[in-house]
Amino acid sequence: MTRQNIFGTVFGVDAGMLQLAVFPNMSKRRAGEIVERIFDFYKNKNVRLVMPATEARQFRKEEYGLPCVERVHIDMALSIGGDGTLLGVCRRFREQGIPVCGINLGTLGFLADIEPNELESRLAKILVGNYIVEHRLLLSGYIRNELGEKFLGNAINDVVISKGGGPRMLKLSTYVNDTYLMNYKADGVIISSPTGSTAYSLSAGGPILNPNIRALLLTPICAHTFQMRPLVVSEDDEIRIKIEANRDLMVTLDGQEAFQIQPGDDVVVRKSSSVARIVKFADKNYYDILKAKMWS
């Protein structure tokens, strides 16, 4: 069997060949070592490895580099870095439905399920299909004003509204399904998925939610009074934040994409029609990971 990619190159692909895309974070000190171990392990196996062209040059794998990995067939993406690296790769492949497996070179690593000391044993499980693909809720962020609604992008962890600078607090009128709920007086607000409950929301005092809970979480940042508590709503609810301010404000998606809010803009967040697909292994459950990362 052969498959022709968008660039006109024909690859020979066996019917049972596993195709993996490798996405190393080039700023991580051990990324080169992990790349070599992946290539060494899958050498002489029925696996085809590809990388983005820039990363391939960086790690001397030019023959495996492609200018646009998203436009060729792959079965799984391997993310090498922390959870931030994995989040970026998940957003990159959300439309194709490609599962992403994280190799953790970060600090906590709630999403990246492979630690460096277990790399080869996990790569062997991937080779024989011994893994689970979890479907995680994605958030969609929008700006709404008199011109209509503009899609900003998707987030796996959170959509954050915060001030660009200055000491004054924000007044954030919060609506759920067009019902006025409260006016947060705070430095900002975090709208997170259950997956993102262990990220920025947790630092701001929000609760930890199991990723299987079908909910959205609102957490104020440095709230002015104790009455302004985090709030859990249904995943099917639409959240709209009206900002009573005329100064620099930002919306960020997963802390990686930022957009400036203009006077008169509302920020709208709702569940995406797409999901993030994250590879997990049966011998690690959520509470084992939570205990190891938070309290061990």
Side-chain angles (χ1 to χ4, degrees):
M1 154 179 185
T2 61
R3 182 179 289 109
Q4 185 168 2
N5 74 6
I6 195 71
F7 308 106
T9 304
V10 176
F11 300 111
V13 181
D14 296 336
M17 177 173 281
L18 181 67
Q19 299 205 90
L20 304 177
V22 181
F23 290 85
N25 184 329
M26 294 189 291
S27 68
K28 296 295 184 181
R29 181 178 56 84
R30 296 185 63 187
E33 169 204 331
I34 299 299
V35 168
E36 290 300 329
R37 287 169 63 184
I38 291 171
F39 276 79
D40 285 345
F41 180 83
Y42 285 127
K43 183 172 58 179
N44 301 324
K45 295 181 174 68
N46 196 27
V47 175
R48 179 173 180 265
L49 298 170
V50 297
M51 297 175 70
T54 300
E55 287 86 338
R57 287 192 297 271
Q58 172 74 19
F59 295 102
R60 299 180 182 178
K61 302 291 183 186
E62 290 89 346
E63 65 270 33
Y64 301 96
L66 296 175
C68 188
V69 176
E70 297 91 332
R71 301 180 75 176
V72 299
H73 169 80
I74 62 169
D75 297 299
M76 183 186 295
L78 300 178
S79 160
I80 304 172
D83 280 353
T85 308
L86 186 145
L87 291 175
V89 176
C90 282
R91 286 203 307 274
R92 196 167 178 166
F93 285 105
R94 69 183 183 276
E95 298 299 333
Q96 296 94 323
I98 304 299
V100 180
C101 182
I103 300 162
N104 184 36
L105 295 182
T107 49
L108 287 177
F110 279 99
L111 299 176
D113 218 35
I114 300 178
E115 298 298 330
N117 64 351
E118 57 189 11
L119 178 62
E120 284 76 13
S121 65
R122 299 305 190 193
L123 295 179
K125 288 179 180 290
I126 290 172
L127 185 62
V128 297
N130 188 9
Y131 57 85
I132 301 163
V133 178
E134 292 187 354
H135 291 188
R136 299 289 184 93
L137 180 149
L138 275 174
L139 304 174
S140 290
Y142 303 83
I143 292 291
R144 183 184 294 170
N145 53 35
E146 68 277 3
L147 300 177
E149 194 171 81
K150 177 184 177 183
F151 175 65
L152 299 179
N154 293 120
I156 300 172
N157 272 348
D158 47 46
V159 177
V160 178
I161 304 165
S162 60
K163 55 189 180 182
R168 296 183 63 186
M169 74 179 65
L170 304 178
K171 294 181 181 180
L172 306 166
S173 297
T174 303
Y175 296 78
V176 177
N177 301 327
D178 288 327
T179 298
Y180 172 75
L181 195 64
M182 69 181 77
N183 193 343
Y184 281 118
K185 296 179 181 178
D187 285 350
V189 66
I190 304 161
I191 301 128
S192 80
S193 67
T195 298
S197 70
T198 51
Y200 191 8
S201 175
L202 181 63
S203 300
I208 297 173
L209 302 181
N210 185 302
N212 293 318
I213 293 174
R214 304 175 69 86
L216 305 178
L217 173 60
L218 284 82
T219 307
I221 304 169
C222 298
H224 182 56
T225 68
F226 286 115
Q227 285 75 25
M228 297 174 187
R229 310 305 299 167
L231 174 69
V232 179
V233 302
S234 167
E235 69 169 5
D236 295 316
D237 288 336
E238 178 184 272
I239 298 168
R240 177 166 60 93
I241 308 293
K242 188 175 185 63
I243 299 96
E244 299 177 20
N246 291 322
R247 56 186 180 275
D248 289 343
L249 297 174
M250 301 296 295
V251 176
T252 57
L253 308 178
D254 285 340
Q256 296 179 346
E257 297 180 79
F259 305 88
Q260 191 165 20
I261 306 174
Q262 302 299 327
D265 287 345
D266 291 354
V267 178
V268 177
V269 178
R270 52 181 175 261
K271 179 179 70 173
S272 171
S273 58
S274 302
V275 296
R277 291 170 169 82
I278 300 176
V279 172
K280 295 289 183 178
F281 297 92
D283 58 351
K284 286 186 179 180
N285 69 53
Y286 174 73
Y287 298 106
D288 286 335
I289 295 171
L290 187 65
K291 179 177 67 175
K293 301 296 184 180
M294 297 292 294
W295 299 300
S296 295

